[in-house]
Amino acid sequence: MMFFMNTLDITLLLTLLSLTGFGNGATTTTSFLSSAETSRLHEVFKSTLNPPSDLGAAYYAAFGLKLQGASLPVNDKTLCQTVLDKFKKDNYESVFYASGLWKSTGCKGQLDNKAHIRQLVEDLKQDKLSMVDMYYAVKSVVDFGEKLTNPPQIMKNLQAALKKDDSISSLGHAFHIAAMLGGDVTPIFNRIEDAVVQADEVDGKYLQFEGGLSITGLIVSGAYRLATVANKPPPITAEQAVKFANYFLSRRSVQTSKGAYFLLDVLKIFTDNKYHIPVVVSLLGPGVVSQERPKVSVMVSNLLGEVLPFGPMSVTVESATRSADDVVVLSKKKFEVGTDATMFTVNLMEAKPEPGLYKLSVSAQPAKAEPRLVGNMGVILPLRVMCAVTVDNFEVGVGDSDQTTQPKFDKVVFSSKLGQVLEVDSQQKLVARFTLRDKASGKALTVHQAFLRFQHKASNREITFVAEQDPNSLAYRFDLDIGAKAQEFGQLSGVYSVHLIVGDVILSNSFSWLLADVKLKLALDTAQVSPSTSIYQPKQEIEHLFREPERRPPVAVSTFFTGLVAVPFLILLILWAKLGVNISNFPFSLSALGFHLGLGAIFTLFGFFWLQLNMFQTLKYLIGLGVVTFLCGNQLLAKIAANRKKQGH
């Protein structure tokens, strides 16, 4: 196998390999909202309020800052004036946003008289509001610190509204309304299961509702708040809770204040509720161990990266499995507590695992059993066991292609260079053999990439070949028949630098080693070949030459043939003049005149199309003329048929 390249960098060779990873289990979580991401969401909220342009966006920004425990601007004149300017008392959504902002930011003035709140209280007594408007009304009253009157009647109206519209959005709003009303919420609580079964599962890892982050956040937060009021566990399984958590964590890059608010709201609920608290077990660092760095560290936290409030955690490596053959190399090994309560470390190199890719199965439990914890057992984490590689017994030699003489080998010590220049012609072959070994254990290694690169010193042209490994001895061998590969070398003679390139995702010291110079004797000398240029230099401009138009005939020829086309029409006119034209039966009616004039106009239009109009202009005029001609012609034919029928009688 052979590759051509102008430049070769070990980093580029290993880029794809370094991305190798493993899929995590569907019922575990390995990521959390980091402090940097929390700060970014904080900036989203602050930028939305400075200055506020949209009332809804400002509302979610203000309440998002409250979720973060940040201070809000108090009685800010710009914000308060924006609320008054955009406030519409006859619009429930506007009242909802304005009431929440006014109260949460401590504005003073017009809305303090609570007239709009009293109106909402009256409206809630009637069975006329849609589900969304009912949510806006109830939440506005609650946000303003007022008391809801006659909650049983509102609950009755809520159930009636749900019968009219039980869409997924209506169910989410109903959960929140019932949670704010309190009392007997059983009829609404029983609908949580109806909502959850409508969730879409993605890749076996995520659960979400149609409508995205906001709708999913509305339903999940409403379900858990309602379950708390009902004092019953929600009909959401532990696996479903983790999949919902995974979905919200996948949306950490949200850019809108509304989305960021729902994200934080649900993550806060998942860190403190009576039913499900997802546990995050994540790698600290790149997930790499070696003889120099034998320990791997993990972080055990909630979804916000905080310490779980259940006392000391016991973290265990349930198993460490080699991915290549599913061999378990370690099991039931305890982690040690690290520098803080969320960090745990374990020395995996004590088990002396072979270099390669592994899957760690990790479990985390508190000293006292806690049924609320979910996603804390059997968390799969990717791990690489790395080693340093060395080249053992590297030999290179030259022999005849027809194998009449065996190659005479010279040994080359790793990281040094052969002291002589090897000369090879088109009747010979270059042979190299070597073994790659783990520097610590001395075991032979198999790597993803083992190349020999030939670089022409004069022109910098490069050609790269793959070294093949013997599956039995695990030694690498490279046979290059110079005559057979002369075309690949471009028949270019001269001195080539030979590099051995070794790379793998499990190697800590991938390298490119200049091992020898080789002089090839081929058909072309160096002087006959122009130096190679970089592929990144500007290319020569390509100038397109369009086909020249055909020569037009002389004007006299064109005129002659135009007249020739008109000859039949002239003959017709001459014959009409000699024989006489009988137009006595021509009906001088509007339809007859319209039809013939329209037909003549169409022929005239075709003439203009040939001379100066384009297709689109012609079609525009043709549609009008065609409609008139068709209607007149239809009426004319009907009249002629009627006259013939009358004459027949």
Side-chain angles (χ1 to χ4, degrees):
M1 185 177 180
M2 177 191 67
F3 297 95
F4 290 97
M5 52 190 78
N6 290 65
T7 56
L8 186 60
D9 193 305
I10 296 300
T11 304
L12 293 177
L13 283 172
L14 295 176
T15 298
L16 291 176
L17 291 174
S18 65
L19 298 177
T20 303
F22 305 93
N24 187 44
T27 56
T28 58
T29 301
T30 58
S31 61
F32 58 90
L33 192 71
S34 67
S35 57
E37 290 162 337
T38 301
S39 299
R40 188 190 62 79
L41 295 180
H42 184 79
E43 290 303 315
V44 170
F45 295 139
K46 284 186 65 177
S47 62
T48 304
L49 288 174
N50 188 28
S53 57
D54 178 76
L55 210 55
Y59 172 90
Y60 289 110
F63 279 81
L65 289 173
K66 286 185 68 175
L67 284 174
Q68 290 187 318
S71 59
L72 292 173
V74 179
N75 197 22
D76 182 87
K77 291 184 178 180
T78 302
L79 178 59
C80 296
Q81 188 59 46
T82 301
V83 173
L84 291 176
D85 292 342
K86 296 182 179 295
F87 173 68
K88 298 176 183 178
K89 64 179 181 179
D90 55 347
N91 184 291
Y92 290 102
E93 184 177 11
S94 175
V95 173
F96 164 63
Y97 293 140
S99 300
L101 277 171
W102 191 267
K103 199 68 176 178
S104 64
T105 57
C107 292
K108 304 295 181 184
Q110 178 181 335
L111 297 186
D112 288 333
N113 61 23
K114 304 179 183 178
H116 62 293
I117 298 298
R118 290 192 292 271
Q119 183 60 50
L120 292 179
V121 172
E122 291 300 317
D123 291 346
L124 285 169
K125 296 178 181 179
Q126 305 173 32
D127 183 14
K128 68 174 185 177
L129 300 183
S130 67
M131 184 63 71
V132 176
D133 287 342
M134 189 180 299
Y135 169 77
Y136 287 148
V138 173
K139 192 72 165 65
S140 298
V141 175
V142 172
D143 284 347
F144 222 75
E146 297 299 309
K147 192 174 181 180
L148 292 165
T149 61
N150 199 4
Q153 180 61 43
I154 300 176
M155 179 64 73
K156 184 178 178 181
N157 294 341
L158 172 61
Q159 295 180 57
L162 203 53
K163 289 180 180 179
K164 297 176 185 176
D165 179 11
D166 64 347
S167 64
I168 196 68
S169 174
S170 292
L171 286 171
H173 287 107
F175 300 156
H176 282 273
I177 296 171
M180 288 184 284
L181 292 176
D184 183 11
V185 296
T186 303
I188 308 301
F189 177 84
N190 291 338
R191 299 300 301 273
I192 294 178
E193 188 173 3
D194 297 339
V196 174
V197 297
Q198 298 183 52
D200 300 321
E201 186 172 298
V202 181
D203 294 338
K205 297 180 182 180
Y206 312 104
L207 273 180
Q208 67 179 79
F209 292 97
E210 185 178 354
L213 178 59
S214 299
I215 292 296
T216 307
L218 179 75
I219 294 167
V220 173
S221 61
Y224 277 92
R225 287 193 172 101
L226 184 56
T228 302
V229 172
N231 200 26
K232 299 177 184 177
I236 299 174
T237 66
E239 182 176 356
Q240 288 173 330
V242 174
K243 289 181 180 180
F244 278 126
N246 284 336
Y247 169 71
F248 286 104
L249 289 170
S250 72
R251 298 298 309 275
R252 290 173 299 204
S253 59
V254 62
Q255 300 292 327
T256 64
S257 60
K258 182 178 181 180
Y261 165 78
F262 278 109
L263 172 65
L264 278 178
D265 187 34
V266 174
L267 294 185
K268 284 275 188 182
I269 290 174
F270 272 139
T271 59
D272 184 18
N273 68 82
K274 299 194 297 184
Y275 308 107
H276 298 126
I277 297 182
V279 176
V280 178
V281 180
S282 57
L283 284 170
L284 283 174
V288 172
V289 294
S290 63
Q291 292 293 336
E292 294 75 24
R293 296 194 304 175
K295 293 185 177 182
V296 62
S297 299
V298 299
M299 179 177 178
V300 179
S301 67
N302 61 22
L303 299 183
L304 295 176
E306 301 166 342
V307 179
L308 292 165
F310 305 112
M313 299 292 291
S314 174
V315 184
T316 306
V317 177
E318 298 294 341
S319 65
T321 307
R322 190 163 56 233
S323 299
D325 50 16
D326 289 332
V327 172
V328 176
V329 299
L330 179 70
S331 63
K332 300 298 181 182
K333 186 172 180 61
K334 295 284 187 181
F335 280 80
E336 299 174 355
V337 180
T339 55
D340 61 59
T342 63
M343 181 180 173
F344 300 84
T345 61
V346 65
N347 188 335
L348 289 180
M349 296 306 292
E350 290 178 351
K352 298 181 179 179
E354 294 181 3
L357 304 177
Y358 289 79
K359 292 178 287 187
L360 286 186
S361 176
V362 180
S363 296
Q365 292 179 301
K368 183 179 179 181
E370 175 53 65
R372 289 184 292 171
L373 297 184
V374 295
N376 58 317
M377 304 298 293
V379 181
I380 303 299
L381 300 174
L383 181 74
R384 281 183 292 160
V385 177
M386 301 186 72
C387 68
V389 65
T390 186
V391 181
D392 181 40
N393 197 28
F394 191 98
E395 295 179 324
V396 61
V398 179
D400 293 333
S401 299
D402 57 6
Q403 298 184 351
T404 55
T405 60
Q406 292 299 317
K408 181 182 178 182
F409 288 101
D410 293 306
K411 286 193 174 184
V412 187
V413 179
F414 179 50
S415 74
S416 65
K417 183 181 177 183
L418 186 66
Q420 60 186 9
V421 177
L422 297 175
E423 295 189 4
V424 192
D425 61 31
S426 59
Q427 303 300 317
Q428 294 177 308
K429 64 178 181 179
L430 181 70
V431 181
R433 57 194 184 194
F434 59 94
T435 303
L436 299 175
R437 297 189 182 277
D438 183 342
K439 202 170 185 179
S441 67
K443 291 183 179 180
L445 293 176
T446 300
V447 297
H448 281 107
Q449 297 175 334
F451 302 135
L452 274 91
R453 182 181 68 188
F454 290 74
Q455 183 176 13
H456 192 260
K457 286 194 171 184
S459 65
N460 286 328
R461 294 192 177 186
E462 298 176 358
I463 182 170
T464 303
F465 299 93
V466 176
E468 303 289 348
Q469 187 180 39
D470 185 331
N472 297 318
S473 65
L474 298 183
Y476 284 86
R477 185 179 176 88
F478 172 73
D479 287 5
L480 180 63
D481 187 332
I482 301 300
K485 298 295 184 181
Q487 291 297 330
E488 280 87 4
F489 281 96
Q491 297 287 353
L492 180 58
S493 300
V495 178
Y496 288 79
S497 298
V498 182
H499 299 254
L500 174 63
I501 300 171
V502 173
D504 199 293
V505 71
I506 64 169
L507 299 183
S508 59
N509 63 332
S510 298
F511 61 83
S512 175
W513 167 33
L514 173 59
L515 60 97
D517 288 335
V518 176
K519 185 176 183 180
L520 300 185
K521 297 178 181 179
L522 299 171
L524 296 179
D525 292 329
T526 304
Q528 296 175 269
V529 181
S530 59
S532 63
T533 57
S534 171
I535 61 173
Y536 303 108
Q537 289 183 356
K539 301 295 188 247
Q540 184 177 0
E541 182 180 355
I542 300 174
E543 296 182 358
H544 294 280
L545 180 62
F546 292 97
R547 178 181 174 184
E548 295 184 4
E550 298 287 344
R551 287 184 57 196
R552 288 193 170 194
V555 176
V557 174
S558 300
T559 305
F560 171 75
F561 279 98
T562 302
L564 199 61
V565 170
V567 166
F569 183 66
L570 293 175
I571 293 174
L572 176 64
L573 294 178
I574 293 170
L575 291 175
W576 277 356
K578 284 193 174 186
L579 298 176
V581 180
N582 183 11
I583 59 172
S584 60
N585 287 331
F586 183 84
F588 287 95
S589 63
L590 185 61
S591 59
L593 290 173
F595 173 72
H596 287 87
L597 289 175
L599 198 60
I602 290 174
F603 287 128
T604 304
L605 178 63
F606 287 159
F608 278 103
F609 173 58
W610 184 45
L611 294 172
Q612 65 183 56
L613 296 179
N614 59 40
M615 182 179 67
F616 298 104
Q617 293 171 322
T618 304
L619 286 175
K620 180 175 66 174
Y621 296 126
L622 184 60
I623 289 172
L625 292 174
V627 170
V628 173
T629 305
F630 172 77
L631 294 176
C632 291
N634 184 61
Q635 189 175 358
L636 175 61
L637 290 175
K639 186 176 290 186
I640 292 174
N643 290 338
R644 287 183 178 177
K645 186 176 180 181
K646 186 176 179 181
Q647 290 174 2
H649 288 294

